[in-house]
Amino acid sequence: MANKRAQTMEENRARLIAAARKAFAEQGYAAASMDELTAQAGLTRGALYHNFGDKRGLLAAVVNQIDAEMAARAQEIAAKAGNGWEALLAEGAAYIEMALEPEVQRIVLLDGPAVLGDPSRWDSQNKCLEVTISTLERLLAEDVVKPVDPEAAARLINGAALNAALWVAASDEPREVLAKAIDAFRALATGLLAKPA
């Protein structure tokens, strides 16, 4: 009985997240109606409040889901580039490029920071940070990067990628800005190399 209840709760959460993701992507967070969203999910406002506390909590869950998907995609791209320095750069560039995607742009890069605050405090961003720290620790051990604190370097690399993505998302000319952002990201990150490329 408890197992069925937990399964139903998880299904309800998934339905609410899917409906919110669609509504937030199409209408934006501010314009999305909770009554329409819950009706689309076939649930009540009570289910939304029970699962997420409020509309802001639901946005946080949607951002976490999209951010996790973005991280997985960026890591797949990095894996194809190898497991060293080029992989780190490819992962950052992939994250920046995802700012061209309307759903990522609106939910993660525009509404997310406006409603949820500083992305560096989001759980999903901190998971990405942990991966970058681990990569930099390995690159430090291999003498690929200069002897710097791996957390400090990871925060700067991730911050540069995030700010570049925010710039692309907010731009009137995102494709033009994307090329500049990726070039600058690579140039900045290359300053960490022990031996210039």
Side-chain angles (χ1 to χ4, degrees), residues 1-23:
M1 184 82 162
N3 219 7
K4 180 152 174 63
R5 180 178 161 95
Q7 182 180 353
T8 300
M9 285 181 63
E10 193 53 42
E11 288 170 2
N12 288 348
R13 279 183 64 82
R15 287 168 48 197
L16 285 165
I17 289 172
R21 190 167 171 165
K22 183 177 187 300

Side-chain angles (χ1 to χ4, degrees), residues 108-197:
V108 177
L109 299 172
L110 299 175
D111 286 347
V115 176
L116 303 174
D118 179 6
S120 71
R121 298 194 180 273
W122 299 351
D123 287 342
S124 56
Q125 288 289 319
N126 283 316
K127 288 176 186 157
C128 291
L129 178 66
E130 290 169 14
V131 170
T132 307
I133 291 170
S134 175
T135 300
L136 284 166
E137 287 172 342
R138 190 179 73 250
L139 293 172
L140 271 165
E142 296 168 0
D143 293 323
V144 173
V145 296
K146 293 174 183 170
V148 295
D149 180 80
E151 181 180 355
R155 286 185 180 279
L156 293 173
I157 287 172
N158 285 16
L162 173 62
N163 276 291
L166 290 167
W167 181 34
V168 171
S171 173
D172 292 334
E173 301 290 337
R175 290 213 174 270
E176 184 179 312
V177 167
L178 175 67
K180 295 176 193 176
I182 289 176
D183 285 347
F185 171 77
R186 286 181 165 275
L188 283 170
T190 301
L192 289 171
L193 284 175
K195 296 175 186 106

Side-chain angles (χ1 to χ4, degrees), residues 6-157:
Q7 182 180 353
T8 300
M9 285 181 63
E10 193 53 42
E11 288 170 2
N12 288 348
R13 279 183 64 82
R15 287 168 48 197
L16 285 165
I17 289 172
R21 190 167 171 165
K22 183 177 187 300
F24 295 157
E26 292 174 359
Q27 303 163 24
Y29 173 83
S33 159
M34 291 299 91
D35 289 331
E36 290 174 18
L37 188 154
T38 53
Q40 180 81 25
L43 298 166
T44 64
R45 273 183 159 226
L48 182 145
Y49 294 126
H50 175 74
N51 283 283
F52 302 102
D54 57 12
K55 184 178 179 182
R56 185 177 185 278
L58 181 56
L59 176 64
V62 170
V63 165
N64 281 339
Q65 184 181 72
I66 296 171
D67 225 2
E69 292 168 7
M70 291 172 66
R73 286 172 39 210
Q75 288 167 9
E76 282 177 28
I77 291 166
K80 291 176 185 168
N83 66 356
W85 178 251
E86 283 303 317
L88 182 68
L89 293 180
E91 187 173 345
Y95 185 88
I96 297 166
E97 191 167 346
M98 287 179 217
L100 293 176
E101 299 170 18
E103 181 183 56
V104 169
Q105 210 174 74
R106 178 169 277 196
I107 297 173
V108 177
L109 299 172
L110 299 175
D111 286 347
V115 176
L116 303 174
D118 179 6
S120 71
R121 298 194 180 273
W122 299 351
D123 287 342
S124 56
Q125 288 289 319
N126 283 316
K127 288 176 186 157
C128 291
L129 178 66
E130 290 169 14
V131 170
T132 307
I133 291 170
S134 175
T135 300
L136 284 166
E137 287 172 342
R138 190 179 73 250
L139 293 172
L140 271 165
E142 296 168 0
D143 293 323
V144 173
V145 296
K146 293 174 183 170
V148 295
D149 180 80
E151 181 180 355
R155 286 185 180 279
L156 293 173
I157 287 172

